[in-house]
Amino acid sequence: MIVGTASSVGKSIVCTGLCRIFYQDGVSVAPFKAQNMSLNSAVTPSGCEIGRAQAAQAEAAGIRPNEHMNPVLLKPTGNQRTQIVLQGRVHDTVSARHYFRSYKETLWQAVVESYQFLATRHDVIVMEGAGSPVEMNLKERDIANLRAAEMADAVVVLVADVDRGGVFASVVGTLQLMTSEERRRLKGILINRFRGDPELFQDGEQWLEQYTGLPVLGVIPYISNIGIDEEDSMAFESERYRGAHSNLRKDSTFVGPPQIRVAVVRLPHIANFTDFDPLFLEPDVEAFFTTEPVALQRADAIILPGTKSTMSDLIWLFEYGLAAVIQQVSQMGRTILGICGGYQMLGQRVFDPWHQEDERHSECEGIGIFSYETTIAQEKETILVEGDLLAPFTGVSVSGYEIHMGKTTGLEQGHAFARVSASIGGPSQDHARIEGAVSDDGRIVGTYLHGIFHNDEFRTRWLNQIRQSKGLPPKDDKVVIQNSREDAYDRLADVVRSHLNLARVYELLTREE
């Protein structure tokens, strides 16, 4: 089990690296995170919803994701309320206070059941903690960290982020707040995100080992633009999402400044922001997240992403003048694309009669570019889909996944974006349905398909449309996203392997006590 001195110290990335290393070494391995709080989720082949980080870890481990890898997923909806996804299905939406008081044993039973499901099928389980294991005001109710380690009889490694500073105090403070039994499980310390010459930290390693009595199992260097799905919004502080653009290809070929600027609206309850990671890999594209109206006005394309609270974020768009900008640029021939909640926002109105997302409002005005309306339903749709795009993107096949509670109606009044069906067991045209909306010229698209930009052919066609509108030549060569992902997992594994005492890790895994 990998626990951390705090949130965002790199637990997810370390777990992903370990999953890849064990997979490379021929070990049957699976990831497990008992409880995750994140709006960045994924759909499993069985149509269940789990945290995006665990889906990435499963991919690194060479296996398909399933709901037992993240039995408890918490998705904040705003107003101190959280949707509980239990073993992949929506269980309830409650206040934080009600959650902590009422659900402890129900969720714990699911955690135990899911862990046992994985443990009987794999040789190694890489468990990830959540936040810090010693949040004293929450520790009695914590099911994600040391209680889970005890249940699994797991060896525990503590990860600390040296890049943020205070690494010695964070390690010692964490240990000080552990009980003697909890400390007995702790078998080592891992220092993460070290910049510069690792020899400069040798004195620090010695001090930590002498003071704590625990070995430092490795000092992992800072890895820039790691290229692996991030877990939560803290990722916006990373190099990838800060708007910086690299003018070097992977092979170090200079490609010059970006020619296309794509602005993604950073909604207050943004979800599944990794939908847009492929745009950050395009050498002539500058993709960035923003809340500034001026940035939207200057962009070549605007993307409205998914959100956990469509109505609240739609009201926010109007209050901050962003909706007016989107309406304005839509009349100027600019490219606009909405995904999931962003798709719903592009219609005429959004209704929430059962107050699934917003307790204060039952309906609100949409941006009004398309004529459809959306009603937030009581049941969530989670499904993997594949299909074919319609005019003007005819001839492009796509796959993706849907996670939404909205039912969009009135699509017959416009042009559909795609014809899709469930991808489990192969597409069935008998159950195919139209999906999304698209303007006649293809400039404006609305779709429920998360992962649409991971389809290389569509992404290239969409970007070429923008290039041609600017008088730029189209590009024929495509960035192959799946290859990029596999390369990223291998690159991460190489770095972790070369800076981790892997022999000691294997000794710990085969211990006899």
Side-chain angles (χ1 to χ4, degrees), residues 345-357:
M345 293 176 183
L346 292 176
Q348 296 297 317
R349 299 193 73 78
V350 178
F351 302 92
D352 189 3
W354 295 281
H355 297 281
Q356 295 292 315
E357 293 188 353

Side-chain angles (χ1 to χ4, degrees), residues 296-316:
L296 297 187
Q297 290 172 334
R298 295 176 178 174
D300 300 307
I302 296 173
I303 294 175
L304 277 170
T307 169
K308 192 64 191 74
S309 187
T310 299
M311 292 186 65
S312 294
D313 286 0
L314 186 50
I315 292 169
W316 175 85

